[in-house]
Amino acid sequence: MRHSTLRQLEVFEAIARLGSFTRAAEELFLTQPTVSMQMKKLTDAVGLPLFEQMGKKVFLTDAGRELHKTCREIFKHFSHFEMAVADLKGMKQGTLRLAVVTTAKYFAPRLLGPFCQQYPGIQVSLKVSNRERVLERMADNQDDLYILGQPPEELDTIAEPFLDNPLVVLAPANHPLAGVKKIPLARLAEEPFLLREPGSGTRKALERLFADHNLAIKVRMELGSNEAIKQAIVGGLGVSVLSCHTLALDAPMGQLAILDVAGFPIERQWYVAYPAGKQLSIVARTFLDYLRQAPRLAGGARWPAETGTDRMPAAKSARRR
Ligand code: PGA
């Protein structure tokens, strides 16, 4: 095994990730016979099959999965080494792997713009999925840093709040409750709700609030995106609870009203988190330092006038869950 070359591991990693010899060959600019030969040598060195072919798709065997895990660690160490060398040369270079929850897509790219300008040598890979999927990625240690609305209880993590994330009740502008002051939560519970999909952090926060008050949510429809929910509200299908950030861009604001309901806004924060004990790369630490100035950087990101809420206050200190 020790005689296997780094190149073989690189080819193996690409096949494991892409699930195909052909696509791995394309990505690495190699011919198919070269890829097959490299994998034969690697399989001989391991002494066990690494792949199972089913139709056109390639699956990993148990040995293949173990090797894939090891490969990811090896390549991570290499890229940390490359970053350290670049740092010694006075440059910040490398890839920042960021996974963020769906709702963070409204501000994360805007935070990344100035960061990438400041550090042109840093490339960013941004994965956007709902909370549940982001937590799976975190448990699997797939990225450098994670942005989510509540630090996970299930995992030992370091989490730092860096931005406020109020959740508000949205209704169509012509809704009978629009403009009414201090609507009781029990009255809101009579309205049909448009809910995000299970696994969404926004949905979880709403469910928790209703459960704390022994109220049931009247679910009219489940939708997998904030955008679809806003459109469905405008279409008169129901009300919903979403992050204020979803109103930042292209919100049909004239057609939406924020209801003044007791217990709202739900005061949440955005956290940047990573598993406790994780060795952060230089690039990840650079981004973390940058995020600590986020409220200043987010400068123009005021809430829409209708909400009456002003700029987001600065982050509080780091905490460990
Ligand atoms: P979501 O997460 O986009 O999965 O709803 C948002 C949050 O956790 O606040």
Side-chain angles (χ1 to χ4, degrees), residues 101-103 130-131 148-150 165 196 199-202 268 270:
V101 291
T102 325
T103 308
N130 75 18
R131 177 181 171 84
L148 69 180
Q150 180 74 36
N165 176 25
R196 279 278 307 274
S200 144
T202 311
R268 274 162 68 89
W270 290 114

Side-chain angles (χ1 to χ4, degrees), residues 298-316:
R302 284 172 174 271
W303 302 131
E306 286 85 338
T307 67
T309 334
D310 208 332
R311 275 275 300 285
M312 298 163 272
K316 295 172 193 91

Side-chain angles (χ1 to χ4, degrees), residues 8-310:
Q8 285 167 7
L9 294 182
E10 201 178 14
V11 174
F12 170 78
E13 193 282 329
I15 298 169
R17 179 166 38 83
L18 300 168
S20 145
F21 276 55
T22 315
R23 288 176 58 201
E26 279 165 11
E27 181 176 290
L28 298 169
F29 300 108
L30 296 172
T31 62
Q32 277 246 26
T34 309
V35 166
S36 302
M37 193 188 61
Q38 297 280 20
M39 287 309 93
K40 177 161 184 346
K41 284 188 184 158
L42 186 62
T43 307
D44 290 347
V46 174
L48 284 172
L50 299 171
F51 304 107
E52 271 163 358
Q53 180 101 30
M54 298 218 207
K56 282 198 172 159
K57 194 135 168 70
V58 168
F59 293 90
L60 294 179
T61 59
D62 286 348
R65 269 193 295 278
E66 284 304 316
L67 184 59
H68 190 207
K69 237 191 273 167
T70 308
C71 277
R72 290 216 310 251
E73 286 304 313
I74 292 172
F75 291 127
K76 202 181 296 162
H77 285 301
F78 262 104
S79 82
H80 283 200
F81 171 70
E82 280 167 359
M83 286 181 207
V85 170
D87 200 43
L88 289 173
K89 290 181 188 163
M91 295 177 285
K92 298 271 186 251
Q93 248 172 34
T95 302
L96 170 69
R97 287 188 179 75
L98 212 57
V100 308
V101 291
T102 325
T103 308
K105 76 172 180 203
Y106 294 95
F107 66 86
R110 274 194 289 164
L111 283 178
L112 285 170
F115 176 74
C116 293
Q117 268 162 18
Q118 197 174 334
Y119 302 104
I122 297 181
Q123 284 166 4
V124 182
S125 136
L126 182 69
K127 290 268 178 292
V128 182
S129 16
N130 75 18
R131 177 181 171 84
E132 197 166 273
R133 185 71 200 101
V134 166
L135 292 185
E136 279 165 23
R137 294 184 68 90
M138 195 191 276
D140 209 21
N141 195 18
Q142 290 191 31
D143 312 273
D144 294 315
L145 294 169
Y146 303 83
I147 293 180
L148 69 180
Q150 180 74 36
E153 281 132 32
E154 323 68 342
L155 293 169
D156 190 13
T157 50
I158 310 289
E160 221 172 293
F162 66 96
L163 213 58
D164 274 1
N165 176 25
L167 305 189
V168 293
V169 185
L170 294 173
N174 59 1
H175 194 280
L177 292 177
V180 176
K181 297 267 174 254
K182 299 204 173 24
I183 303 160
L185 195 59
R187 170 64 190 87
L188 181 70
E190 291 169 17
E191 296 295 315
F193 261 82
L194 305 164
L195 278 195
R196 279 278 307 274
E197 77 286 1
S200 144
T202 311
R203 174 174 172 148
K204 229 177 153 186
L206 173 66
E207 285 175 342
R208 190 165 302 154
L209 179 75
F210 271 56
D212 287 349
H213 290 81
N214 288 323
L215 290 169
I217 306 174
K218 268 170 66 177
V219 185
R220 157 73 61 87
M221 200 186 277
E222 282 184 3
L223 293 124
S225 94
N226 295 319
E227 292 310 306
I229 289 185
K230 282 187 290 181
Q231 295 305 328
I233 297 171
V234 171
L237 288 170
V239 301
S240 190
V241 168
L242 294 179
S243 162
C244 254
H245 286 275
T246 65
L247 304 175
L249 290 175
D250 294 334
M253 267 323 289
Q255 302 167 69
L256 288 176
I258 294 170
L259 300 187
D260 180 8
V261 179
F264 282 89
I266 300 177
E267 301 288 359
R268 274 162 68 89
Q269 287 187 299
W270 290 114
Y271 288 82
V272 58
Y274 55 95
K278 182 179 173 78
Q279 274 281 333
L280 286 187
S281 72
I282 287 170
V283 163
R285 270 187 273 134
T286 307
F287 185 66
L288 210 51
D289 287 342
Y290 170 86
L291 265 193
R292 290 182 179 128
Q293 318 156 42
R296 188 165 58 74
L297 290 166
R302 284 172 174 271
W303 302 131
E306 286 85 338
T307 67
T309 334
D310 208 332

